[in-house]
Amino acid sequence: MDAASVLPALAAVPPGVLTGAAAATVVELADPLDPQTVLTRLRGAAASPGPLVVCLAGQLHLDRRQQLPHLALARTTPATLRYTALPWHWLAGELGVRPPGTTTVVADLAVDPELWQRLTAAPGLLHLGPGPLLYARVVPAPRRGEPTTPAYLRAWAELWRSGARLAPAAAHAEAAARAVTVAPAPAPLFLTPAPVPTPTPAPPDRTAPEPAPVTGAVRVPVAGPAPLPRIPPEYVSAGPSGSTAPAAVPALVPEDPHPAILAAAMAGRHGEAAAVAAAWEHEALRRHGPRSVEAVHWTEVRADLARLAGEPARSCELWLAAAEARLGLLQRPDDPDVEGAVDRAHHQWEHIGDPDRARALGPALVDLRRRVPGRRPGALAALTRRLG
């Protein structure tokens, strides 16, 4: 995908036209190199309470080990896909927690043959959650040396520049019609938001509890997180040196989301599990604030989901954040929860296959190991030896 060719057209669109607001800010990432950098910029944009428009042009590849789509970045190769590309479910995790109706994603994507076959049978693989409106053109990757042009996204830019105030659905229809004339064979796949069904009013004398809204196959409660129960021994798995890592929390309350999140992850629906966990973390932050045990709990849940998804670097990063947060809450360095978080961060760090990524996370892990030695003799010494 010749993604850079659409940048001039997008740059010519007044920022306020994109969002429909009097003032707006544009963040452009042309040929980004590092997925963590992209995630940081995306997270910063997603934190804004106002409307958000995300434009994507590029190549999607299927990670054959995890069976998850990844957006290729400037240094991505088939051999380094898992470490140099942006996992699509990271997008879902950051954008899926935003209020419905505030986020529009316009994407023009070329996909590898295996992913193309999957998408034609299950377009929901690129689902971003209940909030974002995704409008996309997906085309099969052309032969090597014959890049595809982002005609669909360019058509959106031309509509924006013309001053037309079209609703997203109307703009998509017009852009799709223009892009079809330059589309390669076979015909492109166009993705639009699923229609929202109109609920049937309940009888006034109904006594059953109100059902929770459904996101995919996971029930997401509307009342906010229930009190978090302690994790019984049968729901933990062994970590490094006999420490324990939470694998799931049992459904001790009717709307406990943990079993559904774990079920999605164990079924390979890692993007769905991450998006729901991120939504609960967002709710915990809103209700209890960033300096709260509830918020730390959901950081730890996301860390374990990253482990299940085979993302040790991401898991290590989240466990480091959880340990720092617990220390910030004045928990002692020998507190089992603090020691467990550092042990799990160390354990995941040892499984990072990308040397550059491991070196980048190493100093933070060393700093924590000095403050939280843990009960594993020689852990700090072994860590510093590996870092050289």
Side-chain angles (χ1 to χ4, degrees), residues 324-373:
E324 289 285 5
R326 288 193 177 277
L327 290 171
L329 292 171
L330 303 182
Q331 290 184 242
R332 294 174 53 85
D334 60 353
D335 185 293
D337 288 334
V338 177
E339 288 184 337
V342 178
D343 283 346
R344 292 160 200 153
H346 194 160
H347 181 69
Q348 289 300 297
W349 182 83
E350 290 175 344
H351 287 77
I352 299 175
D354 180 7
D356 292 337
R357 190 79 186 98
R359 279 193 294 270
L361 290 171
L365 182 56
V366 168
D367 178 64
L368 267 174
R369 268 295 177 213
R370 287 178 177 148
R371 289 180 285 158
V372 187

Short mmCIF file of all heavy atoms in Angstrom, two decimals, residues 324-373:
data_model
loop_
_atom_site.label_atom_id
_atom_site.label_comp_id
_atom_site.label_asym_id
_atom_site.label_seq_id
_atom_site.Cartn_x
_atom_site.Cartn_y
_atom_site.Cartn_z
N GLU A 324 4.77 -0.59 39.95
CA GLU A 324 5.02 0.81 40.30
C GLU A 324 3.78 1.42 40.95
O GLU A 324 3.87 2.21 41.90
CB GLU A 324 5.44 1.60 39.07
CG GLU A 324 6.82 1.27 38.53
CD GLU A 324 7.92 1.87 39.38
OE1 GLU A 324 7.64 2.47 40.44
OE2 GLU A 324 9.10 1.74 38.99
N ALA A 325 2.61 1.08 40.42
CA ALA A 325 1.37 1.63 40.97
C ALA A 325 1.15 1.15 42.40
O ALA A 325 0.73 1.93 43.27
CB ALA A 325 0.20 1.25 40.08
N ARG A 326 1.43 -0.11 42.66
CA ARG A 326 1.24 -0.62 44.02
C ARG A 326 2.23 0.03 44.99
O ARG A 326 1.87 0.34 46.13
CB ARG A 326 1.38 -2.14 44.03
CG ARG A 326 0.19 -2.86 43.38
CD ARG A 326 0.18 -4.35 43.66
NE ARG A 326 -0.99 -4.99 43.10
CZ ARG A 326 -2.18 -5.02 43.68
NH1 ARG A 326 -2.36 -4.42 44.85
NH2 ARG A 326 -3.20 -5.62 43.10
N LEU A 327 3.46 0.23 44.56
CA LEU A 327 4.41 0.93 45.41
C LEU A 327 3.95 2.38 45.64
O LEU A 327 4.13 2.92 46.74
CB LEU A 327 5.81 0.91 44.78
CG LEU A 327 6.51 -0.46 44.76
CD1 LEU A 327 7.77 -0.37 43.92
CD2 LEU A 327 6.84 -0.91 46.18
N GLY A 328 3.36 2.97 44.61
CA GLY A 328 2.83 4.33 44.75
C GLY A 328 1.66 4.40 45.73
O GLY A 328 1.39 5.46 46.29
N LEU A 329 0.99 3.27 45.93
CA LEU A 329 -0.10 3.20 46.91
C LEU A 329 0.43 2.87 48.31
O LEU A 329 -0.35 2.56 49.21
CB LEU A 329 -1.11 2.13 46.49
CG LEU A 329 -1.93 2.45 45.23
CD1 LEU A 329 -2.74 1.24 44.78
CD2 LEU A 329 -2.85 3.63 45.48
N LEU A 330 1.76 2.93 48.45
CA LEU A 330 2.45 2.72 49.73
C LEU A 330 2.37 1.27 50.21
O LEU A 330 2.47 0.99 51.40
CB LEU A 330 1.90 3.67 50.81
CG LEU A 330 2.00 5.17 50.48
CD1 LEU A 330 1.48 6.00 51.65
CD2 LEU A 330 3.43 5.56 50.15
N GLN A 331 2.20 0.34 49.27
CA GLN A 331 2.35 -1.07 49.64
C GLN A 331 3.83 -1.36 49.81
O GLN A 331 4.68 -0.85 49.09
CB GLN A 331 1.73 -1.97 48.57
CG GLN A 331 0.21 -1.89 48.51
CD GLN A 331 -0.39 -2.86 47.50
OE1 GLN A 331 -1.03 -2.45 46.55
NE2 GLN A 331 -0.17 -4.15 47.73
N ARG A 332 4.15 -2.21 50.77
CA ARG A 332 5.55 -2.50 51.10
C ARG A 332 6.21 -3.31 49.98
O ARG A 332 5.54 -4.09 49.29
CB ARG A 332 5.63 -3.27 52.41
CG ARG A 332 5.17 -2.47 53.62
CD ARG A 332 5.13 -3.36 54.86
NE ARG A 332 6.39 -4.05 55.08
CZ ARG A 332 7.44 -3.53 55.73
NH1 ARG A 332 7.35 -2.29 56.21
NH2 ARG A 332 8.54 -4.22 55.89
N PRO A 333 7.53 -3.16 49.81
CA PRO A 333 8.23 -3.95 48.79
C PRO A 333 8.12 -5.46 49.00
O PRO A 333 8.22 -6.22 48.03
CB PRO A 333 9.69 -3.48 48.93
CG PRO A 333 9.59 -2.11 49.50
CD PRO A 333 8.41 -2.16 50.44
N ASP A 334 7.90 -5.90 50.26
CA ASP A 334 7.75 -7.34 50.50
C ASP A 334 6.29 -7.78 50.52
O ASP A 334 6.00 -8.93 50.86
CB ASP A 334 8.43 -7.74 51.81
CG ASP A 334 7.85 -7.01 53.02
OD1 ASP A 334 7.01 -6.10 52.83
OD2 ASP A 334 8.24 -7.34 54.16
N ASP A 335 5.39 -6.88 50.13
CA ASP A 335 3.98 -7.26 50.00
C ASP A 335 3.85 -8.32 48.90
O ASP A 335 4.44 -8.17 47.82
CB ASP A 335 3.13 -6.03 49.65
CG ASP A 335 1.65 -6.33 49.63
OD1 ASP A 335 1.20 -7.09 48.74
OD2 ASP A 335 0.92 -5.79 50.47
N PRO A 336 3.12 -9.39 49.13
CA PRO A 336 3.01 -10.44 48.10
C PRO A 336 2.52 -9.94 46.76
O PRO A 336 2.96 -10.44 45.71
CB PRO A 336 2.02 -11.44 48.73
CG PRO A 336 2.15 -11.22 50.21
CD PRO A 336 2.43 -9.76 50.38
N ASP A 337 1.61 -8.97 46.75
CA ASP A 337 1.11 -8.45 45.47
C ASP A 337 2.20 -7.69 44.72
O ASP A 337 2.30 -7.77 43.49
CB ASP A 337 -0.09 -7.53 45.71
CG ASP A 337 -1.33 -8.29 46.12
OD1 ASP A 337 -1.44 -9.48 45.76
OD2 ASP A 337 -2.19 -7.71 46.80
N VAL A 338 3.03 -6.93 45.46
CA VAL A 338 4.12 -6.20 44.82
C VAL A 338 5.18 -7.18 44.31
O VAL A 338 5.64 -7.09 43.17
CB VAL A 338 4.74 -5.19 45.81
CG1 VAL A 338 5.94 -4.49 45.16
CG2 VAL A 338 3.71 -4.17 46.24
N GLU A 339 5.57 -8.12 45.17
CA GLU A 339 6.56 -9.11 44.75
C GLU A 339 6.06 -9.92 43.55
O GLU A 339 6.82 -10.21 42.61
CB GLU A 339 6.87 -10.05 45.91
CG GLU A 339 7.69 -9.42 47.02
CD GLU A 339 8.06 -10.42 48.09
OE1 GLU A 339 7.36 -11.46 48.23
OE2 GLU A 339 9.04 -10.17 48.80
N GLY A 340 4.77 -10.27 43.59
CA GLY A 340 4.22 -11.05 42.48
C GLY A 340 4.25 -10.29 41.17
O GLY A 340 4.57 -10.86 40.11
N ALA A 341 3.93 -8.99 41.20
CA ALA A 341 3.95 -8.20 39.98
C ALA A 341 5.36 -8.11 39.41
O ALA A 341 5.56 -8.24 38.18
CB ALA A 341 3.40 -6.80 40.26
N VAL A 342 6.36 -7.90 40.27
CA VAL A 342 7.74 -7.81 39.78
C VAL A 342 8.22 -9.17 39.27
O VAL A 342 8.89 -9.26 38.24
CB VAL A 342 8.67 -7.28 40.89
CG1 VAL A 342 10.11 -7.22 40.39
CG2 VAL A 342 8.22 -5.89 41.33
N ASP A 343 7.88 -10.24 39.98
CA ASP A 343 8.26 -11.58 39.52
C ASP A 343 7.68 -11.88 38.14
O ASP A 343 8.36 -12.45 37.27
CB ASP A 343 7.79 -12.64 40.51
CG ASP A 343 8.66 -12.72 41.76
OD1 ASP A 343 9.77 -12.15 41.73
OD2 ASP A 343 8.22 -13.32 42.75
N ARG A 344 6.44 -11.51 37.94
CA ARG A 344 5.79 -11.79 36.65
C ARG A 344 6.38 -10.92 35.55
O ARG A 344 6.54 -11.37 34.40
CB ARG A 344 4.29 -11.58 36.78
CG ARG A 344 3.63 -12.63 37.67
CD ARG A 344 2.28 -12.20 38.20
NE ARG A 344 1.94 -12.98 39.38
CZ ARG A 344 1.15 -12.57 40.34
NH1 ARG A 344 0.60 -11.36 40.27
NH2 ARG A 344 0.90 -13.32 41.38
N ALA A 345 6.70 -9.67 35.88
CA ALA A 345 7.38 -8.81 34.89
C ALA A 345 8.72 -9.42 34.50
O ALA A 345 9.07 -9.46 33.30
CB ALA A 345 7.57 -7.41 35.47
N HIS A 346 9.47 -9.90 35.49
CA HIS A 346 10.77 -10.53 35.22
C HIS A 346 10.59 -11.79 34.37
O HIS A 346 11.33 -12.01 33.40
CB HIS A 346 11.43 -10.87 36.56
CG HIS A 346 12.88 -11.22 36.43
ND1 HIS A 346 13.76 -11.17 37.49
CD2 HIS A 346 13.61 -11.64 35.37
CE1 HIS A 346 14.97 -11.53 37.08
NE2 HIS A 346 14.89 -11.84 35.79
N HIS A 347 9.60 -12.60 34.74
CA HIS A 347 9.35 -13.84 34.01
C HIS A 347 9.00 -13.55 32.54
O HIS A 347 9.52 -14.21 31.63
CB HIS A 347 8.21 -14.60 34.69
CG HIS A 347 7.88 -15.90 34.04
ND1 HIS A 347 8.72 -16.99 34.06
CD2 HIS A 347 6.79 -16.30 33.33
CE1 HIS A 347 8.17 -18.00 33.42
NE2 HIS A 347 6.99 -17.61 32.96
N GLN A 348 8.15 -12.57 32.29
CA GLN A 348 7.78 -12.22 30.92
C GLN A 348 8.96 -11.61 30.18
O GLN A 348 9.13 -11.83 28.97
CB GLN A 348 6.59 -11.27 30.93
CG GLN A 348 5.28 -11.91 31.35
CD GLN A 348 4.88 -13.06 30.44
OE1 GLN A 348 4.63 -12.87 29.25
NE2 GLN A 348 4.83 -14.27 30.99
N TRP A 349 9.78 -10.82 30.88
CA TRP A 349 10.95 -10.21 30.24
C TRP A 349 11.88 -11.28 29.68
O TRP A 349 12.46 -11.12 28.60
CB TRP A 349 11.69 -9.34 31.25
CG TRP A 349 12.88 -8.62 30.69
CD1 TRP A 349 12.90 -7.44 30.00
CD2 TRP A 349 14.25 -9.05 30.78
NE1 TRP A 349 14.18 -7.11 29.65
CE2 TRP A 349 15.03 -8.08 30.12
CE3 TRP A 349 14.88 -10.15 31.36
CZ2 TRP A 349 16.42 -8.19 30.01
CZ3 TRP A 349 16.26 -10.26 31.26
CH2 TRP A 349 17.00 -9.29 30.59
N GLU A 350 12.02 -12.38 30.42
CA GLU A 350 12.91 -13.46 29.96
C GLU A 350 12.39 -14.14 28.70
O GLU A 350 13.15 -14.85 28.03
CB GLU A 350 13.08 -14.49 31.08
CG GLU A 350 13.88 -13.96 32.26
CD GLU A 350 13.94 -14.95 33.41
OE1 GLU A 350 13.12 -15.90 33.41
OE2 GLU A 350 14.80 -14.78 34.30
N HIS A 351 11.12 -13.94 28.36
CA HIS A 351 10.55 -14.58 27.17
C HIS A 351 10.45 -13.62 25.97
O HIS A 351 9.90 -13.99 24.93
CB HIS A 351 9.15 -15.12 27.49
CG HIS A 351 9.18 -16.35 28.35
ND1 HIS A 351 9.41 -16.30 29.72
CD2 HIS A 351 9.02 -17.67 28.05
CE1 HIS A 351 9.37 -17.53 30.21
NE2 HIS A 351 9.14 -18.38 29.23
N ILE A 352 10.96 -12.41 26.11
CA ILE A 352 10.92 -11.46 24.99
C ILE A 352 11.93 -11.88 23.94
O ILE A 352 13.12 -12.03 24.22
CB ILE A 352 11.21 -10.02 25.48
CG1 ILE A 352 10.15 -9.59 26.50
CG2 ILE A 352 11.23 -9.06 24.31
CD1 ILE A 352 10.43 -8.23 27.13
N GLY A 353 11.46 -12.08 22.72
CA GLY A 353 12.35 -12.53 21.65
C GLY A 353 13.11 -11.43 20.94
O GLY A 353 14.11 -11.69 20.27
N ASP A 354 12.64 -10.19 21.07
CA ASP A 354 13.28 -9.07 20.40
C ASP A 354 14.33 -8.47 21.33
O ASP A 354 13.98 -7.87 22.35
CB ASP A 354 12.22 -8.03 20.03
CG ASP A 354 12.81 -6.82 19.33
OD1 ASP A 354 14.01 -6.84 19.01
OD2 ASP A 354 12.06 -5.84 19.10
N PRO A 355 15.63 -8.58 21.02
CA PRO A 355 16.67 -8.05 21.92
C PRO A 355 16.54 -6.56 22.18
O PRO A 355 16.77 -6.10 23.31
CB PRO A 355 17.98 -8.39 21.18
CG PRO A 355 17.63 -9.50 20.25
CD PRO A 355 16.21 -9.26 19.85
N ASP A 356 16.18 -5.79 21.16
CA ASP A 356 16.04 -4.34 21.35
C ASP A 356 14.93 -4.02 22.34
O ASP A 356 15.06 -3.14 23.19
CB ASP A 356 15.77 -3.65 20.01
CG ASP A 356 16.96 -3.72 19.07
OD1 ASP A 356 18.09 -3.88 19.57
OD2 ASP A 356 16.76 -3.61 17.85
N ARG A 357 13.82 -4.74 22.22
CA ARG A 357 12.69 -4.50 23.12
C ARG A 357 13.06 -4.91 24.55
O ARG A 357 12.71 -4.23 25.52
CB ARG A 357 11.48 -5.31 22.64
CG ARG A 357 10.20 -4.94 23.35
CD ARG A 357 9.62 -3.66 22.79
NE ARG A 357 8.47 -3.25 23.57
CZ ARG A 357 8.52 -2.33 24.53
NH1 ARG A 357 9.64 -1.71 24.81
NH2 ARG A 357 7.43 -2.00 25.19
N ALA A 358 13.79 -6.03 24.69
CA ALA A 358 14.21 -6.47 26.01
C ALA A 358 15.16 -5.45 26.65
O ALA A 358 15.05 -5.14 27.84
CB ALA A 358 14.88 -7.84 25.91
N ARG A 359 16.09 -4.93 25.86
CA ARG A 359 17.01 -3.93 26.40
C ARG A 359 16.28 -2.66 26.81
O ARG A 359 16.64 -2.00 27.79
CB ARG A 359 18.10 -3.61 25.37
CG ARG A 359 19.23 -4.63 25.32
CD ARG A 359 20.40 -4.11 24.53
NE ARG A 359 20.05 -3.94 23.12
CZ ARG A 359 20.20 -4.88 22.20
NH1 ARG A 359 20.69 -6.06 22.55
NH2 ARG A 359 19.88 -4.65 20.94
N ALA A 360 15.25 -2.29 26.06
CA ALA A 360 14.51 -1.08 26.38
C ALA A 360 13.77 -1.20 27.72
O ALA A 360 13.65 -0.23 28.47
CB ALA A 360 13.52 -0.76 25.26
N LEU A 361 13.28 -2.39 28.03
CA LEU A 361 12.55 -2.60 29.27
C LEU A 361 13.47 -2.96 30.43
O LEU A 361 13.07 -2.89 31.59
CB LEU A 361 11.51 -3.70 29.09
CG LEU A 361 10.31 -3.38 28.19
CD1 LEU A 361 9.49 -4.63 27.92
CD2 LEU A 361 9.44 -2.30 28.83
N GLY A 362 14.71 -3.34 30.12
CA GLY A 362 15.63 -3.80 31.14
C GLY A 362 15.90 -2.81 32.27
O GLY A 362 15.82 -3.19 33.45
N PRO A 363 16.21 -1.54 31.98
CA PRO A 363 16.52 -0.61 33.08
C PRO A 363 15.38 -0.45 34.09
O PRO A 363 15.62 -0.39 35.30
CB PRO A 363 16.81 0.70 32.34
CG PRO A 363 17.29 0.27 30.99
CD PRO A 363 16.51 -0.95 30.67
N ALA A 364 14.14 -0.38 33.61
CA ALA A 364 13.01 -0.25 34.53
C ALA A 364 12.88 -1.49 35.40
O ALA A 364 12.57 -1.39 36.60
CB ALA A 364 11.72 -0.01 33.75
N LEU A 365 13.13 -2.65 34.81
CA LEU A 365 13.04 -3.90 35.58
C LEU A 365 14.16 -3.97 36.62
O LEU A 365 13.94 -4.39 37.76
CB LEU A 365 13.11 -5.10 34.64
CG LEU A 365 12.99 -6.48 35.28
CD1 LEU A 365 11.72 -6.61 36.10
CD2 LEU A 365 13.05 -7.57 34.21
N VAL A 366 15.37 -3.55 36.25
CA VAL A 366 16.50 -3.53 37.19
C VAL A 366 16.18 -2.60 38.36
O VAL A 366 16.42 -2.93 39.54
CB VAL A 366 17.80 -3.11 36.49
CG1 VAL A 366 18.89 -2.81 37.52
CG2 VAL A 366 18.26 -4.20 35.54
N ASP A 367 15.65 -1.42 38.05
CA ASP A 367 15.30 -0.46 39.11
C ASP A 367 14.30 -1.06 40.08
O ASP A 367 14.42 -0.93 41.30
CB ASP A 367 14.75 0.81 38.48
CG ASP A 367 14.32 1.82 39.53
OD1 ASP A 367 15.19 2.31 40.28
OD2 ASP A 367 13.12 2.12 39.62
N LEU A 368 13.29 -1.76 39.55
CA LEU A 368 12.30 -2.39 40.42
C LEU A 368 12.91 -3.53 41.22
O LEU A 368 12.60 -3.71 42.41
CB LEU A 368 11.12 -2.90 39.59
CG LEU A 368 9.94 -1.95 39.43
CD1 LEU A 368 8.92 -2.53 38.47
CD2 LEU A 368 9.28 -1.67 40.77
N ARG A 369 13.78 -4.33 40.59
CA ARG A 369 14.40 -5.44 41.29
C ARG A 369 15.26 -4.95 42.47
O ARG A 369 15.36 -5.62 43.50
CB ARG A 369 15.27 -6.25 40.33
CG ARG A 369 14.56 -7.42 39.67
CD ARG A 369 14.18 -8.44 40.71
NE ARG A 369 13.43 -9.55 40.15
CZ ARG A 369 12.48 -10.21 40.79
NH1 ARG A 369 12.12 -9.83 42.00
NH2 ARG A 369 11.87 -11.22 40.26
N ARG A 370 15.87 -3.80 42.33
CA ARG A 370 16.66 -3.25 43.44
C ARG A 370 15.77 -2.85 44.61
O ARG A 370 16.17 -2.97 45.77
CB ARG A 370 17.47 -2.06 42.95
CG ARG A 370 18.65 -2.46 42.07
CD ARG A 370 19.39 -1.27 41.55
NE ARG A 370 20.56 -1.70 40.78
CZ ARG A 370 21.04 -1.04 39.73
NH1 ARG A 370 20.47 0.09 39.34
NH2 ARG A 370 22.11 -1.50 39.09
N ARG A 371 14.57 -2.39 44.30
CA ARG A 371 13.64 -2.00 45.37
C ARG A 371 12.82 -3.17 45.88
O ARG A 371 12.37 -3.19 47.03
CB ARG A 371 12.71 -0.89 44.86
CG ARG A 371 13.40 0.46 44.67
CD ARG A 371 12.42 1.49 44.17
NE ARG A 371 12.09 1.31 42.76
CZ ARG A 371 11.00 1.77 42.18
NH1 ARG A 371 10.08 2.39 42.90
NH2 ARG A 371 10.78 1.58 40.89
N VAL A 372 12.59 -4.15 44.98
CA VAL A 372 11.78 -5.32 45.33
C VAL A 372 12.58 -6.57 44.97
O VAL A 372 12.38 -7.17 43.91
CB VAL A 372 10.43 -5.30 44.58
CG1 VAL A 372 9.52 -6.43 45.06
CG2 VAL A 372 9.73 -3.96 44.72
N PRO A 373 13.51 -6.99 45.85
CA PRO A 373 14.35 -8.14 45.52
C PRO A 373 13.57 -9.43 45.33
O PRO A 373 13.96 -10.31 44.56
CB PRO A 373 15.30 -8.25 46.73
CG PRO A 373 15.23 -6.90 47.38
CD PRO A 373 13.86 -6.38 47.13
#
